[in-house]
Amino acid sequence: MLTLSDVPTSSSRPASRPHAVVIGSGFGGLAAAIRLGARGYRVTVLERLDQPGGRARVHRQDGFTFDAGPTIVTAPFLFEELWTLCGRRMEDDVVLAPMLPFYRIRFEDGATFDYSGDLDAMREEVARFSPGDVAGYERFMERSRAICEVGFERLGHVPFTSVSDMLRIMPDLVRLGGHRSVYDVVASYIRDERLRTIFSFHPLLIGGSPFRASAIYCLIAHLERRWGVHFALGGTGRLVDGLAGLIRGQGGSLRCSAEVSRILVENGAATGVALASGERIAADIVVSNADSAFTHRTLLPDGVRRRWTDRRLDRSHSSMGLFVWYFGTNRTFPNIAHHTILMGPRYRGLIDDIFRRKVLSKDFSLYLHRPTATDPLLAPPGCDAFYVLSPVPNLAGGQDWTAEAEPYRRAIERHLDATVMPGLSQSIVTSKVTHPGDFAADFLSFRGSGFGLEPVLTQSAWFRPHNASEDVARLYLVGAGTHPGAGLPGVLSSARILDTVVPDARVFA
């Protein structure tokens, strides 16, 4: 663990430093910029949108504040380390509030399960559903712990630059059942179908199907128990602002409304970027936090790509799409928890519709986020702010979201009004929708997917785009579409890997 005495001060850095350009200011790009700045680089972050954050940008509308994307903070030490690298304390800029419960899960029949990190409370919750599954639950959590120790703590920040790296971990993968799905592993310990749903849904948080995602992602259950689930007071945007401030404090710059049109490559190495405006920016290294498929298909010249060709990308499996409805109400709904998961009447069938058949179902499962349960200042007095997220097919499903969006939103509104939020329809005072078409337009996301490549075994670790480009020297990739994957811990770990694969700034001196 870093200490403040390990961190160089800005006054100790030479005035003229090697230049690193970071494309995109999602959490991966911001974390990469800070880590590079701490290692002696002068960093320029380029963001095509009008504010930093990427998928974590903020919508402010009619006095309400809505986090556009991630709302769940796990493994907070990965954020704390970024502040430490800058000689600062995270708690001076951002306060993380622990969630209790982590989630409230509600089934179609009205039964609820409060999911937390408290072992005794979880035993009681499991026993309410199926007393015979308590022992199986405990064995599953022990399995999750073992997987987390290998998959996250030991390998989450390790680059997979050669096939030998993959072969080296194969015995562990086989021993931990990585070739099986998350659902299959959960079902081997737990018999009750509702409990199987509760302990297998986590891959959906990173864009994967529980029935296809590698059992390595069973690690999330232990990760949450060990480090907790938190919410940043003021919203996730407060974390974005804090990281942007750290970059500026290091002497770096962050430019918004600066769209990169291509990565400049000479003699097989990245030498800078060209902007859509025509401006060229020279760099000693380039880091792309753009969608990894977009980086390869659009930002790189065709002639330099050997591995991530259009054909390979077309054959890849993308994560699901996301339909997100942000809304504010002129009253509060105190019975709604901060994080509520509303399970629909089907589990396997709905997920099959989304991932395999790619059809838009009439039923849905929903993630309902009520940040004002923890921070009332995110809405006007006496009001509540919400977003509700529905997993949907990505754009490979062919849906016309310009036509589908409003009917789908109304269906969700009717469902919430009829179940957990009676009177909702008469209470809405502001509303905004984001759908897979917006993900493609705003974030340049391939197929409008919410999380880049789907987290299946054949698209994990070495099989995923490498953090050090396989084709172009001095080009590096971070973010959800590269190793180790989506979710805040994965994205922050992708930036942490740069400490291993990016040369020290003194190389360019």
Side-chain angles (χ1 to χ4, degrees):
M1 183 64 69
L2 288 170
T3 63
L4 295 185
S5 61
D6 298 322
V7 181
T9 63
S10 57
S11 61
S12 68
R13 300 188 180 104
S16 177
R17 294 177 280 156
H19 189 208
V21 164
V22 178
I23 304 168
S25 66
F27 277 122
L30 295 173
I34 290 165
R35 289 185 173 278
L36 292 171
R39 294 178 60 206
Y41 285 90
R42 175 174 60 89
V43 183
T44 301
V45 182
L46 302 171
E47 170 57 57
R48 67 185 292 269
L49 299 178
D50 62 358
Q51 61 172 292
R55 287 172 170 83
R57 65 179 173 176
V58 177
H59 300 305
R60 292 182 174 87
Q61 186 169 292
D62 300 325
F64 293 83
T65 300
F66 302 105
D67 287 325
T71 60
I72 296 170
V73 178
T74 53
F77 70 89
L78 291 171
F79 279 108
E80 291 165 357
E81 188 169 271
L82 298 174
W83 263 265
T84 301
L85 283 168
C86 298
R88 301 273 299 279
R89 299 190 313 163
M90 180 179 171
E91 57 264 35
D92 290 338
D93 296 323
V94 180
V95 176
L96 294 181
M99 298 287 95
L100 188 66
F102 295 167
Y103 321 99
R104 177 163 295 149
I105 301 166
R106 182 186 187 276
F107 290 90
E108 190 79 356
D109 64 0
T112 61
F113 185 106
D114 278 2
Y115 192 113
S116 73
D118 185 306
L119 181 58
D120 290 336
M122 287 293 283
R123 286 193 187 105
E124 292 178 9
E125 289 292 275
V126 169
R128 283 199 304 110
F129 278 68
S130 175
D133 277 320
V134 172
Y137 157 72
E138 292 174 338
R139 290 195 302 272
F140 167 71
M141 289 303 299
E142 178 58 26
R143 178 77 166 271
S144 176
R145 181 198 60 76
I147 294 173
C148 189
E149 287 180 353
V150 173
F152 179 67
E153 295 180 53
R154 203 173 89 200
L155 299 175
H157 59 282
V158 173
F160 282 77
T161 56
S162 69
V163 70
S164 62
D165 295 329
M166 192 71 183
L167 294 174
R168 197 158 40 244
I169 69 162
M170 285 306 293
D172 283 332
L173 279 176
V174 172
R175 176 175 58 85
L176 297 171
H179 57 290
R180 303 172 67 188
S181 74
V182 168
Y183 180 87
D184 284 346
V185 168
V186 171
S188 70
Y189 291 99
I190 294 171
R191 293 187 299 272
D192 183 85
E193 195 58 43
R194 291 180 300 176
L195 292 176
R196 288 176 172 179
T197 298
I198 289 167
F199 293 107
S200 70
F201 80 85
H202 283 99
L204 291 165
L205 301 178
I206 55 171
S209 160
F211 301 96
R212 290 169 29 163
S214 165
I216 290 298
Y217 296 100
C218 287
L219 66 83
I220 299 173
H222 177 75
L223 184 149
E224 290 180 335
R225 171 183 285 180
R226 177 168 180 184
W227 286 290
V229 171
H230 306 81
F231 177 72
L233 295 183
T236 310
R238 189 65 61 87
L239 282 166
V240 173
D241 292 342
L243 296 178
L246 294 181
I247 293 168
R248 296 187 182 101
Q250 290 178 316
S253 63
L254 197 163
R255 293 174 53 183
C256 293
S257 301
E259 181 173 0
V260 174
S261 59
R262 67 185 184 279
I263 296 169
L264 303 176
V265 179
E266 295 179 15
N267 300 319
T271 59
V273 298
L275 303 190
S277 65
E279 179 185 357
R280 288 185 170 222
I281 301 175
D284 295 286
I285 67 167
V286 175
V287 178
S288 181
N289 181 219
D291 179 84
S292 61
F294 180 82
T295 298
H296 289 107
R297 292 173 73 99
T298 304
L299 296 183
L300 285 176
D302 288 336
V304 305
R305 288 190 291 148
R306 294 182 298 275
R307 185 175 184 198
W308 292 100
T309 61
D310 286 357
R311 182 171 181 268
R312 183 184 181 120
L313 291 167
D314 288 340
R315 295 172 63 186
S316 67
H317 298 285
S318 299
S319 62
M320 79 273 199
L322 301 175
F323 181 92
V324 191
W325 175 33
Y326 311 89
F327 61 95
T329 59
N330 59 10
R331 49 164 288 201
T332 62
F333 289 81
N335 293 329
I336 302 296
H338 188 117
H339 300 297
T340 302
I341 296 171
L342 304 169
M343 293 295 181
R346 300 179 303 145
Y347 185 47
R348 186 188 293 265
L350 176 61
I351 289 172
D352 191 52
D353 285 349
I354 293 168
F355 284 89
R356 189 180 65 82
R357 299 179 62 222
K358 291 184 169 56
V359 298
L360 189 62
S361 305
K362 292 185 178 179
D363 61 308
F364 31 66
S365 290
L366 304 171
Y367 162 53
L368 180 62
H369 178 230
R370 180 183 169 231
T372 38
T374 301
D375 188 351
L377 297 179
L378 295 171
C383 299
D384 257 341
F386 295 89
Y387 88 40
V388 60
L389 180 152
S390 176
V392 295
N394 60 45
L395 293 179
Q399 285 80 22
D400 178 4
W401 281 103
T402 59
E404 297 278 7
E406 181 55 21
Y408 198 72
R409 186 207 65 78
R410 287 199 301 267
I412 292 174
E413 179 186 324
R414 287 193 297 269
H415 179 73
L416 293 176
D417 200 318
T419 54
V420 296
M421 300 179 70
L424 170 63
S425 295
Q426 291 75 43
S427 306
I428 298 167
V429 292
T430 193
S431 176
K432 179 181 177 62
V433 161
T434 295
H435 53 67
D438 296 318
F439 274 77
D442 293 347
F443 310 124
L444 308 176
S445 177
F446 184 47
R447 298 179 179 135
S449 69
F451 303 89
L453 290 172
E454 184 184 351
V456 295
L457 183 59
T458 53
Q459 295 185 160
S460 298
W462 181 79
F463 299 109
R464 214 165 176 84
H466 296 177
N467 305 97
S469 170
E470 303 97 307
D471 295 326
V472 178
R474 299 183 182 177
L475 172 64
Y476 305 91
L477 282 75
V478 295
T482 186
H483 171 66
L488 289 185
V491 166
L492 295 176
S493 293
S494 73
R496 196 179 182 197
I497 289 170
L498 297 190
D499 292 350
T500 302
V501 298
V502 174
D504 191 89
R506 288 173 293 184
V507 171
F508 301 100

